[in-house]
Each structure stands twice: as C-alpha cells, then as structure tokens.
Coordinates of all heavy atoms in Angstrom, one line a residue:
T1 N -11.9 -6.8 -14.0 CA -11.9 -5.6 -13.2 C -10.4 -5.2 -12.8 O -9.6 -6.1 -12.6 CB -12.7 -5.8 -11.9 OG1 -12.1 -6.8 -11.1 CG2 -14.2 -6.0 -12.2
R2 N -10.2 -3.9 -12.7 CA -8.9 -3.5 -12.4 C -8.7 -3.3 -10.8 O -9.6 -2.8 -10.2 CB -8.6 -2.1 -13.0 CG -7.2 -1.6 -12.9 CD -7.0 -0.5 -13.9 NE -5.6 -0.1 -13.7 CZ -5.3 1.1 -13.2 NH1 -6.2 2.0 -13.0 NH2 -4.0 1.4 -13.1
S3 N -7.6 -3.7 -10.3 CA -7.3 -3.6 -8.9 C -7.2 -2.1 -8.5 O -6.6 -1.3 -9.3 CB -6.0 -4.3 -8.5 OG -6.2 -5.7 -8.6
K4 N -7.6 -1.8 -7.4 CA -7.5 -0.4 -6.9 C -6.2 -0.3 -6.0 O -6.0 -1.1 -5.2 CB -8.7 0.0 -6.1 CG -9.6 0.9 -6.8 CD -10.4 1.7 -5.8 CE -10.9 3.0 -6.2 NZ -11.3 3.6 -7.2
S5 N -5.5 0.8 -6.2 CA -4.3 1.0 -5.4 C -4.7 1.6 -4.1 O -5.7 2.3 -4.0 CB -3.3 1.8 -6.1 OG -3.8 3.1 -6.4
F6 N -4.0 1.3 -3.0 CA -4.3 1.8 -1.7 C -3.1 1.7 -0.8 O -2.1 1.0 -1.2 CB -5.5 1.0 -1.1 CG -5.2 -0.5 -0.9 CD1 -4.7 -1.0 0.3 CD2 -5.5 -1.4 -1.9 CE1 -4.5 -2.4 0.5 CE2 -5.3 -2.7 -1.7 CZ -4.8 -3.2 -0.5
C7 N -3.1 2.4 0.3 CA -2.0 2.3 1.3 C -2.5 1.4 2.4 O -3.6 1.5 2.8 CB -1.6 3.6 1.7 SG -0.8 4.6 0.4
A8 N -1.6 0.5 2.9 CA -1.9 -0.4 4.0 C -0.9 -0.4 5.1 O 0.3 -0.3 4.8 CB -2.0 -1.8 3.4
A9 N -1.4 -0.4 6.3 CA -0.5 -0.4 7.4 C -0.1 -1.9 7.7 O -1.0 -2.8 7.6 CB -1.2 0.1 8.7
L10 N 1.1 -2.2 8.0 CA 1.6 -3.5 8.3 C 2.4 -3.4 9.6 O 3.0 -2.4 9.9 CB 2.5 -4.1 7.2 CG 1.8 -4.3 5.9 CD1 2.9 -4.7 4.9 CD2 0.7 -5.4 6.0
Q11 N 2.4 -4.5 10.4 CA 3.2 -4.6 11.6 C 4.0 -5.9 11.4 O 3.5 -7.0 11.3 CB 2.4 -4.7 12.8 CG 3.2 -4.6 14.1 CD 2.4 -4.3 15.3 OE1 1.8 -5.3 15.8 NE2 2.4 -3.1 15.8
V12 N 5.4 -5.7 11.5 CA 6.3 -6.8 11.4 C 6.8 -7.1 12.8 O 7.2 -6.2 13.6 CB 7.5 -6.4 10.5 CG1 8.5 -7.5 10.5 CG2 7.0 -6.0 9.1
H13 N 6.7 -8.3 13.3 CA 7.3 -8.8 14.5 C 8.6 -9.6 14.2 O 8.5 -10.5 13.4 CB 6.3 -9.6 15.4 CG 5.3 -8.8 16.0 ND1 4.0 -8.7 15.5 CD2 5.3 -7.9 17.0 CE1 3.3 -7.9 16.2 NE2 4.1 -7.4 17.2
A14 N 9.7 -9.2 14.9 CA 10.9 -9.9 14.5 C 11.8 -9.9 15.7 O 11.6 -9.3 16.7 CB 11.6 -9.1 13.4
I15 N 12.9 -10.8 15.6 CA 13.9 -10.8 16.6 C 14.6 -9.4 16.6 O 14.9 -8.9 15.5 CB 14.9 -11.9 16.3 CG1 14.2 -13.3 16.4 CG2 16.1 -11.9 17.3 CD1 15.0 -14.4 15.9
D16 N 14.9 -8.8 17.7 CA 15.5 -7.5 17.8 C 17.0 -7.8 17.6 O 17.8 -8.0 18.5 CB 15.3 -6.8 19.1 CG 15.8 -5.4 19.1 OD1 16.1 -4.9 18.0 OD2 15.9 -4.8 20.2
R17 N 17.4 -7.7 16.3 CA 18.9 -8.0 16.0 C 19.4 -6.8 15.2 O 18.6 -6.0 14.6 CB 19.0 -9.3 15.2 CG 18.3 -9.2 13.8 CD 18.8 -10.3 12.9 NE 18.1 -10.4 11.6 CZ 18.3 -9.6 10.6 NH1 19.2 -8.7 10.6 NH2 17.6 -9.7 9.5
D18 N 20.7 -6.7 15.2 CA 21.4 -5.6 14.4 C 21.0 -5.8 12.9 O 21.1 -6.9 12.4 CB 22.9 -5.7 14.5 CG 23.4 -5.3 15.9 OD1 22.6 -4.6 16.6 OD2 24.5 -5.5 16.2
G19 N 20.5 -4.7 12.3 CA 20.2 -4.7 10.9 C 18.8 -5.1 10.5 O 18.5 -5.0 9.3
I20 N 17.9 -5.5 11.4 CA 16.6 -5.9 11.1 C 15.8 -4.7 10.4 O 15.1 -4.9 9.4 CB 15.8 -6.5 12.2 CG1 14.5 -7.1 11.8 CG2 15.6 -5.5 13.4 CD1 14.6 -8.3 10.9
F21 N 16.0 -3.5 11.0 CA 15.3 -2.3 10.5 C 15.7 -2.0 9.1 O 14.9 -1.8 8.2 CB 15.5 -1.1 11.4 CG 14.7 0.1 11.2 CD1 13.4 0.2 11.6 CD2 15.3 1.2 10.5 CE1 12.6 1.3 11.3 CE2 14.5 2.3 10.3 CZ 13.2 2.4 10.7
V22 N 17.0 -2.1 8.8 CA 17.6 -1.9 7.5 C 17.1 -3.0 6.5 O 16.8 -2.7 5.4 CB 19.1 -1.8 7.6 CG1 19.7 -1.8 6.2 CG2 19.6 -0.7 8.4
D23 N 17.1 -4.2 7.0 CA 16.6 -5.3 6.1 C 15.2 -5.1 5.7 O 14.8 -5.3 4.5 CB 16.8 -6.6 6.8 CG 18.2 -7.1 7.0 OD1 19.1 -6.4 6.4 OD2 18.4 -8.1 7.7
V24 N 14.3 -4.7 6.6 CA 12.9 -4.4 6.2 C 12.8 -3.3 5.2 O 12.1 -3.4 4.2 CB 12.0 -4.2 7.5 CG1 10.6 -3.7 7.1 CG2 11.9 -5.5 8.3
S25 N 13.5 -2.2 5.5 CA 13.4 -1.0 4.7 C 14.0 -1.3 3.3 O 13.5 -0.9 2.3 CB 14.0 0.2 5.3 OG 15.3 0.0 5.6
T26 N 15.1 -2.1 3.2 CA 15.7 -2.4 2.0 C 14.8 -3.3 1.2 O 14.7 -3.2 -0.1 CB 17.1 -3.1 2.2 OG1 17.9 -2.2 2.9 CG2 17.7 -3.5 0.9
A27 N 14.1 -4.3 1.8 CA 13.2 -5.1 1.1 C 12.1 -4.3 0.4 O 11.7 -4.6 -0.7 CB 12.6 -6.2 2.1
V28 N 11.5 -3.3 1.1 CA 10.5 -2.5 0.5 C 11.1 -1.7 -0.6 O 10.5 -1.6 -1.7 CB 9.9 -1.5 1.6 CG1 8.9 -0.5 1.0 CG2 9.2 -2.4 2.7
L29 N 12.3 -1.1 -0.5 CA 12.9 -0.4 -1.5 C 13.1 -1.3 -2.8 O 12.8 -0.8 -3.9 CB 14.3 0.1 -1.0 CG 15.1 0.9 -2.0 CD1 14.5 2.2 -2.4 CD2 16.5 1.1 -1.5
N30 N 13.6 -2.5 -2.5 CA 13.8 -3.4 -3.7 C 12.5 -3.8 -4.4 O 12.6 -4.2 -5.6 CB 14.6 -4.7 -3.2 CG 16.0 -4.3 -2.8 OD1 16.6 -3.3 -3.2 ND2 16.6 -5.2 -2.0
M31 N 11.4 -3.8 -3.7 CA 10.1 -4.1 -4.3 C 9.6 -2.9 -5.1 O 8.6 -3.0 -5.8 CB 9.1 -4.5 -3.3 CG 9.4 -5.9 -2.7 SD 8.1 -6.4 -1.6 CE 8.7 -5.8 0.0
R32 N 10.3 -1.8 -5.0 CA 9.9 -0.5 -5.7 C 8.5 -0.1 -5.4 O 7.7 0.3 -6.3 CB 10.1 -0.7 -7.2 CG 11.5 -1.0 -7.6 CD 11.8 -0.9 -9.1 NE 13.1 -1.4 -9.4 CZ 14.2 -0.6 -9.3 NH1 14.1 0.6 -8.9 NH2 15.4 -1.1 -9.7
I33 N 8.1 -0.1 -4.1 CA 6.8 0.4 -3.7 C 7.0 1.6 -2.8 O 8.0 1.7 -2.1 CB 6.0 -0.7 -3.0 CG1 6.7 -1.3 -1.8 CG2 5.6 -1.8 -4.0 CD1 5.9 -2.3 -1.0
K34 N 6.0 2.4 -2.8 CA 6.0 3.6 -1.9 C 5.8 3.2 -0.5 O 4.9 2.5 -0.2 CB 5.0 4.6 -2.4 CG 5.0 5.9 -1.7 CD 4.0 6.9 -2.2 CE 4.0 8.2 -1.5 NZ 3.0 9.1 -2.0
M35 N 6.6 3.8 0.4 CA 6.5 3.6 1.8 C 6.3 5.0 2.4 O 7.1 5.9 2.2 CB 7.7 2.9 2.4 CG 7.6 2.6 3.9 SD 8.9 1.6 4.5 CE 10.4 2.2 3.7
T36 N 5.1 5.1 3.2 CA 4.8 6.5 3.7 C 5.1 6.6 5.2 O 5.1 7.7 5.7 CB 3.3 6.8 3.4 OG1 2.5 5.8 4.1 CG2 3.1 6.9 1.9
A37 N 5.4 5.5 5.9 CA 5.7 5.5 7.3 C 6.6 4.3 7.6 O 6.4 3.2 7.1 CB 4.5 5.5 8.1
L38 N 7.5 4.5 8.6 CA 8.3 3.4 9.1 C 8.8 3.7 10.5 O 9.5 4.7 10.6 CB 9.5 3.1 8.1 CG 10.5 2.0 8.5 CD1 9.8 0.7 8.4 CD2 11.7 2.0 7.5
T39 N 8.4 2.9 11.4 CA 8.9 3.1 12.8 C 9.2 1.8 13.4 O 8.6 0.8 13.0 CB 7.9 3.9 13.7 OG1 6.6 3.1 13.7 CG2 7.6 5.3 13.2
A40 N 10.0 1.8 14.4 CA 10.3 0.5 15.1 C 10.4 0.8 16.6 O 10.7 1.9 17.0 CB 11.7 -0.1 14.6
R41 N 10.1 -0.3 17.4 CA 10.2 -0.2 18.8 C 10.6 -1.5 19.4 O 10.2 -2.6 18.8 CB 8.9 0.3 19.5 CG 7.7 -0.6 19.3 CD 6.5 0.1 19.8 NE 5.3 -0.8 19.8 CZ 4.7 -1.1 18.7 NH1 5.0 -0.7 17.5 NH2 3.6 -2.0 18.8
Q42 N 11.4 -1.5 20.4 CA 11.8 -2.7 21.1 C 10.7 -3.2 22.0 O 10.0 -2.4 22.7 CB 13.0 -2.4 21.9 CG 13.7 -3.7 22.5 CD 15.0 -3.3 23.1 OE1 15.2 -2.3 23.7 NE2 16.0 -4.2 23.1
L43 N 10.5 -4.5 22.1 CA 9.4 -5.1 22.9 C 10.1 -5.7 24.2 O 11.3 -6.0 24.1 CB 8.7 -6.2 22.2 CG 7.9 -5.7 20.9 CD1 7.3 -6.9 20.2 CD2 6.9 -4.6 21.2
K44 N 9.4 -5.8 25.2 CA 10.0 -6.3 26.5 C 10.5 -7.7 26.4 O 11.4 -8.1 27.2 CB 8.9 -6.3 27.6 CG 8.6 -4.8 28.0 CD 7.5 -4.8 29.1 CE 7.1 -3.4 29.4 NZ 6.1 -3.3 30.4
D45 N 10.0 -8.5 25.4 CA 10.5 -9.9 25.3 C 11.7 -10.1 24.5 O 12.1 -11.2 24.2 CB 9.3 -10.8 24.7 CG 8.9 -10.3 23.3 OD1 9.5 -9.4 22.8 OD2 7.9 -10.9 22.8
G46 N 12.4 -9.0 24.1 CA 13.6 -9.1 23.4 C 13.4 -9.0 21.9 O 14.4 -9.1 21.1
N47 N 12.2 -8.9 21.5 CA 11.8 -8.8 20.0 C 11.6 -7.4 19.7 O 11.7 -6.5 20.6 CB 10.6 -9.7 19.7 CG 11.0 -11.2 19.9 OD1 12.0 -11.6 19.5 ND2 10.1 -11.9 20.5
C48 N 11.2 -7.1 18.5 CA 10.8 -5.7 18.1 C 9.6 -5.8 17.2 O 9.2 -6.8 16.6 CB 12.0 -5.1 17.4 SG 12.4 -5.8 15.8
A49 N 8.9 -4.6 17.2 CA 7.8 -4.4 16.3 C 8.1 -3.3 15.3 O 8.6 -2.2 15.8 CB 6.5 -4.1 17.1
I50 N 8.0 -3.5 14.1 CA 8.2 -2.5 13.0 C 6.9 -2.2 12.3 O 6.3 -3.1 11.8 CB 9.3 -3.0 12.0 CG1 10.6 -3.4 12.7 CG2 9.5 -2.0 10.9 CD1 11.6 -4.1 11.8
D51 N 6.5 -1.0 12.4 CA 5.2 -0.5 11.8 C 5.6 0.2 10.5 O 6.4 1.1 10.6 CB 4.5 0.4 12.8 CG 4.1 -0.3 14.1 OD1 3.4 -1.4 14.0 OD2 4.4 0.2 15.1
L52 N 4.9 -0.2 9.5 CA 5.1 0.5 8.2 C 3.8 0.6 7.4 O 2.9 -0.1 7.7 CB 6.2 -0.2 7.4 CG 5.9 -1.6 6.9 CD1 6.7 -1.8 5.6 CD2 6.4 -2.6 7.9
T53 N 3.8 1.6 6.6 CA 2.7 1.8 5.7 C 3.2 1.8 4.3 O 4.1 2.6 3.9 CB 1.9 3.1 6.0 OG1 1.5 3.2 7.3 CG2 0.7 3.3 5.1
V54 N 2.6 0.9 3.4 CA 3.1 0.8 2.0 C 1.9 1.0 1.1 O 0.7 0.7 1.5 CB 3.7 -0.6 1.8 CG1 5.0 -0.8 2.6 CG2 2.7 -1.7 2.1
C55 N 2.2 1.5 -0.1 CA 1.1 1.7 -1.1 C 1.3 0.7 -2.1 O 2.3 0.5 -2.7 CB 1.3 3.1 -1.7 SG 1.0 4.4 -0.4
V56 N 0.2 -0.1 -2.4 CA 0.2 -1.2 -3.2 C -0.9 -1.1 -4.3 O -1.8 -0.3 -4.2 CB 0.0 -2.6 -2.4 CG1 1.2 -2.8 -1.5 CG2 -1.3 -2.5 -1.6
E57 N -0.8 -2.0 -5.3 CA -1.7 -2.0 -6.5 C -2.9 -2.9 -6.3 O -3.5 -3.2 -7.3 CB -0.9 -2.3 -7.7 CG 0.2 -1.3 -8.0 CD -0.3 0.1 -8.2 OE1 -1.4 0.3 -8.8 OE2 0.3 1.1 -7.7
G58 N -3.2 -3.4 -5.1 CA -4.3 -4.3 -4.9 C -4.0 -5.3 -3.9 O -2.8 -5.4 -3.4
V59 N -4.9 -6.2 -3.6 CA -4.8 -7.2 -2.5 C -3.7 -8.2 -2.9 O -2.9 -8.6 -2.0 CB -6.1 -7.9 -2.2 CG1 -6.0 -9.0 -1.2 CG2 -7.1 -6.8 -1.7
E60 N -3.6 -8.6 -4.1 CA -2.6 -9.6 -4.5 C -1.2 -9.0 -4.3 O -0.3 -9.7 -3.9 CB -2.8 -10.1 -5.9 CG -4.0 -11.1 -6.1 CD -4.1 -11.6 -7.5 OE1 -3.1 -11.5 -8.3 OE2 -5.2 -12.1 -7.9
H61 N -1.1 -7.8 -4.7 CA 0.2 -7.1 -4.5 C 0.6 -7.0 -3.0 O 1.7 -7.3 -2.6 CB 0.2 -5.7 -5.2 CG 1.5 -5.0 -5.2 ND1 1.6 -3.7 -5.2 CD2 2.8 -5.5 -5.3 CE1 2.9 -3.3 -5.3 NE2 3.6 -4.4 -5.3
L62 N -0.4 -6.7 -2.2 CA -0.2 -6.6 -0.7 C 0.2 -8.0 -0.2 O 1.2 -8.1 0.6 CB -1.4 -6.1 0.0 CG -1.4 -6.1 1.5 CD1 -0.3 -5.1 2.0 CD2 -2.7 -5.7 2.1
N63 N -0.4 -9.0 -0.7 CA -0.1 -10.4 -0.2 C 1.4 -10.7 -0.6 O 2.1 -11.4 0.2 CB -1.1 -11.4 -0.7 CG -2.4 -11.3 -0.1 OD1 -2.5 -10.8 1.0 ND2 -3.4 -11.7 -0.8
S64 N 1.8 -10.3 -1.8 CA 3.2 -10.6 -2.2 C 4.2 -9.8 -1.3 O 5.3 -10.3 -1.0 CB 3.4 -10.3 -3.7 OG 3.4 -8.9 -4.0
V65 N 3.8 -8.6 -0.9 CA 4.7 -7.8 0.0 C 4.8 -8.5 1.3 O 5.9 -8.6 1.9 CB 4.1 -6.3 0.1 CG1 4.9 -5.6 1.2 CG2 4.2 -5.6 -1.2
I66 N 3.7 -8.9 1.8 CA 3.7 -9.6 3.1 C 4.5 -10.9 3.1 O 5.3 -11.2 4.0 CB 2.2 -10.0 3.6 CG1 1.5 -8.7 3.9 CG2 2.2 -11.0 4.7 CD1 0.0 -8.8 4.2
T67 N 4.4 -11.6 2.0 CA 5.2 -12.8 1.8 C 6.7 -12.5 1.8 O 7.5 -13.2 2.4 CB 4.8 -13.6 0.5 OG1 3.5 -14.0 0.6 CG2 5.7 -14.8 0.2
K68 N 7.1 -11.5 1.0 CA 8.5 -11.0 0.9 C 9.0 -10.6 2.3 O 10.1 -11.0 2.7 CB 8.6 -9.9 -0.1 CG 10.0 -9.4 -0.3 CD 10.9 -10.4 -1.0 CE 12.2 -9.8 -1.4 NZ 13.1 -10.8 -2.0
L69 N 8.3 -9.8 3.0 CA 8.7 -9.4 4.3 C 8.8 -10.5 5.3 O 9.7 -10.6 6.1 CB 7.8 -8.3 4.9 CG 7.8 -6.9 4.1 CD1 6.7 -6.0 4.7 CD2 9.1 -6.3 4.2
S70 N 7.9 -11.5 5.2 CA 8.0 -12.7 6.0 C 9.2 -13.5 5.8 O 9.6 -14.3 6.7 CB 6.7 -13.5 5.8 OG 5.5 -12.8 6.1
S71 N 9.8 -13.4 4.7 CA 11.0 -14.2 4.4 C 12.3 -13.7 4.9 O 13.3 -14.3 4.8 CB 11.1 -14.5 2.9 OG 11.5 -13.3 2.2
I72 N 12.3 -12.5 5.5 CA 13.5 -11.8 6.0 C 13.9 -12.6 7.3 O 13.1 -13.0 8.1 CB 13.2 -10.4 6.4 CG1 12.9 -9.6 5.1 CG2 14.4 -9.7 7.1 CD1 12.4 -8.2 5.3
N73 N 15.2 -12.8 7.3 CA 15.8 -13.5 8.5 C 15.4 -12.8 9.8 O 15.7 -11.6 10.0 CB 17.3 -13.6 8.3 CG 18.0 -14.4 9.4 OD1 17.4 -15.3 10.0 ND2 19.2 -13.9 9.8
G74 N 14.8 -13.6 10.7 CA 14.5 -13.0 12.0 C 13.0 -12.6 12.1 O 12.5 -12.3 13.2
V75 N 12.3 -12.4 11.0 CA 10.9 -12.0 11.0 C 10.1 -13.2 11.3 O 10.2 -14.3 10.7 CB 10.5 -11.4 9.7 CG1 9.0 -11.2 9.6 CG2 11.2 -10.0 9.5
F76 N 9.2 -13.1 12.3 CA 8.3 -14.3 12.6 C 6.8 -14.0 12.3 O 6.0 -14.9 12.3 CB 8.5 -14.9 13.9 CG 8.5 -13.9 15.1 CD1 7.3 -13.5 15.7 CD2 9.7 -13.5 15.6 CE1 7.4 -12.7 16.8 CE2 9.7 -12.6 16.6 CZ 8.6 -12.2 17.2
S77 N 6.4 -12.7 12.0 CA 5.1 -12.5 11.6 C 5.0 -11.1 10.9 O 5.7 -10.2 11.3 CB 4.1 -12.6 12.7 OG 4.2 -11.4 13.6
V78 N 4.1 -11.0 10.0 CA 3.7 -9.8 9.3 C 2.2 -9.7 9.2 O 1.6 -10.6 8.7 CB 4.3 -9.7 7.9 CG1 3.9 -8.3 7.2 CG2 5.8 -9.8 7.9
E79 N 1.6 -8.7 9.8 CA 0.2 -8.6 10.0 C -0.3 -7.2 9.6 O 0.4 -6.3 9.8 CB -0.3 -9.0 11.4 CG 0.2 -10.3 11.9 CD 0.0 -10.5 13.4 OE1 -0.1 -9.4 14.1 OE2 -0.2 -11.6 13.8
R80 N -1.6 -7.2 9.2 CA -2.3 -5.9 9.2 C -2.9 -5.6 10.5 O -3.7 -6.5 11.0 CB -3.4 -5.9 8.1 CG -2.8 -6.0 6.7 CD -3.8 -5.8 5.6 NE -4.2 -4.4 5.6 CZ -5.1 -4.0 4.8 NH1 -5.7 -4.8 4.0 NH2 -5.4 -2.7 4.8
P81 N -2.5 -4.6 11.2 CA -2.9 -4.3 12.6 C -4.4 -4.1 12.6 O -5.0 -3.5 11.7 CB -2.2 -3.1 13.1 CG -1.6 -2.5 11.8 CD -1.5 -3.5 10.8
V82 N -5.1 -4.5 13.7 CA -6.5 -4.3 13.8 C -6.7 -2.8 14.4 O -6.0 -2.5 15.3 CB -7.1 -5.3 14.8 CG1 -8.6 -4.9 15.1 CG2 -6.9 -6.7 14.3
V83 N -7.5 -2.1 13.7 CA -7.6 -0.6 14.1 C -8.8 -0.5 15.0 O -9.8 -1.1 14.8 CB -7.7 0.3 12.9 CG1 -7.9 1.7 13.3 CG2 -6.5 0.1 12.0

C-alpha cells in the first residue's frame, strides 16, 4: 500500500536561545518538505514553543521529521498537539 501524504501540526519545546527559530526552520528547509505555518512564542519558564505545520509523505516520514527536529541543540520535545 502507498502512504498517503498529509499535513501535520507539530509543537517544538526548546530552550529560548538565540537562533532556535532559525535552526528549526533551516532543518525543515534542509529536509525539503513543505511548511505551511511557523510561529514561536516565549514561555514563562524561559523556554519557547514553536508551532509548525509540515506536509509529509506518510507516518514514517513524519516520524523521521520529528526525530530530526528532536536532534536540534536546545530542543527537548517535539509533539503532535492534542486538538
């Protein structure tokens, strides 16, 4: 069976450091996947939340995107937000 492509919302929690937003967006760019949304906000605990929506070719592809984003310096979680 062929995987179905879809867009998925992700939320990245990271240390609020200079360049984290650029690092996340560059990682997506380097994976050559379509990104339809990208926003960031500072959290009260000194960390930040980055919300993004990416279009992937299936669940395995999404899992590889999550793994890649998780490996960025300062990122401590990447999750699909509960809607």
Side-chain angles (χ1 to χ4, degrees):
T1 60
R2 188 163 178 248
S3 294
K4 255 204 154 27
S5 60
F6 61 94
C7 293
L10 295 174
Q11 188 169 76
V12 177
H13 285 104
I15 297 167
D16 188 17
R17 63 164 175 82
D18 289 345
I20 189 68
F21 190 78
V22 172
D23 289 350
V24 169
S25 59
T26 300
V28 173
L29 177 69
N30 289 341
M31 288 183 271
R32 301 188 187 281
I33 57 176
K34 182 178 179 180
M35 181 168 44
T36 61
L38 179 65
T39 60
R41 65 188 184 284
Q42 189 174 32
L43 302 175
K44 291 179 182 177
D45 61 5
N47 294 316
C48 66
I50 301 171
D51 298 303
L52 63 151
T53 303
V54 294
C55 299
V56 294
E57 298 300 320
V59 175
E60 285 184 18
H61 188 206
L62 177 61
N63 288 337
S64 72
V65 170
I66 290 170
T67 299
K68 180 72 173 174
L69 293 175
S70 297
S71 71
I72 295 170
N73 182 35
V75 170
F76 50 85
S77 73
V78 180
E79 304 170 331
R80 292 190 71 183
V82 177
V83 179

